[in-house]
Amino acid sequence: MTSTLPVFPPAFSGQLHELFRWRRDVRHFRRDPVPESVLAGLLATACLAPSVGLSEPWRFVRVDDPDRRAAVRADFSQCNADALSSRAGSEARRYASLKLAGLDDAPHHIAVLSHPDPEQGRGLGRATMPQTTTWSTVMAIHTFWLAATAAGVGVGWVSIINPGHIRTILDVDPALELVAYLCVGYPAGQAPTPELERRGWERRAPERREWVRR
């Protein structure tokens, strides 16, 4: 069975570039929930992502229980305080001024875990690079993120957490590794530049846009 390869008009390339430009890490959310049909569509699109050996190692976990969400927020607060204590002077003050998670306002929390050695895929492509299962899960996260942006939904990746503690809070299979904890909801505001860039924490490096040649 063959399928006709779709033809993407030039205008689509420009729209795709804008989608990439507006895919930002969101930390400021409205509290109204995203419709279940939209969330289901985002998950379905995420599963179109490539995976090594067609292993689909990702597991998207909706965290709806208030007690679990409160425990995750407490873990973030502790980890963030530890991160702040490792800095000093003006950098500590700048760090303290940053909003680094939208855990309080985001209506949806989604943990994304990955199976490091799933039966699905039968090990194809993983003998010399077993970490490709994690990378496959990251591809699914990025696909989810792009689909969310196209639907007007914001996503924020919370990484200032203790992965082992979060797995315990969520009571998931201990064989799974936590790859991302996502805040999801409609953004309270949008901009095409990263918030850390707007706040003066860091800037993009022009040299990253150059090929490294060997």
Side-chain angles (χ1 to χ4, degrees), residues 6-171:
V7 177
F8 299 104
F12 176 80
S13 295
Q15 292 176 322
L16 183 60
H17 177 79
E18 284 299 287
L19 176 61
F20 292 149
R21 199 165 72 91
W22 281 87
R23 185 228 49 83
R24 300 271 58 88
D25 190 27
V26 176
R27 293 160 190 161
H28 306 269
F29 293 91
R30 291 165 21 197
R31 295 200 174 192
D32 49 312
V34 177
E36 287 295 323
S37 59
V38 175
L39 291 173
L42 297 181
L43 177 58
T45 300
C47 291
L48 295 175
S51 62
V52 61
L54 197 56
S55 58
E56 297 183 310
W58 49 77
R59 308 289 188 270
F60 283 75
V61 179
R62 288 273 297 272
V63 185
D64 299 325
D65 180 74
D67 292 338
R68 295 185 197 275
R69 288 170 65 137
V72 170
R73 286 196 295 271
D75 182 88
F76 166 81
S77 294
Q78 181 61 60
C79 291
N80 196 42
D82 292 343
L84 175 60
S85 68
S86 69
R87 301 174 184 272
S90 61
E91 184 164 297
R93 290 190 293 275
R94 290 174 64 195
Y95 183 94
S97 72
L98 299 173
K99 182 177 175 61
L100 298 176
L103 292 166
D104 292 335
D105 294 330
H108 308 288
H109 290 196
I110 298 175
V112 188
L113 299 104
S114 185
H115 200 301
D117 189 24
E119 291 185 11
Q120 184 174 333
R122 293 182 286 170
L124 192 153
R126 306 203 304 266
T128 56
M129 300 182 75
Q131 62 270 53
T132 48
T133 52
T134 303
W135 300 343
S136 298
T137 298
V138 173
M139 291 289 289
I141 293 167
H142 190 238
T143 304
F144 179 94
W145 208 327
L146 289 175
T149 303
V153 175
V155 178
W157 187 326
V158 183
S159 60
I160 307 174
I161 48 178
N162 182 319
H165 188 205
I166 299 301
R167 287 201 309 270
T168 299
I169 291 170
L170 301 182
D171 190 24

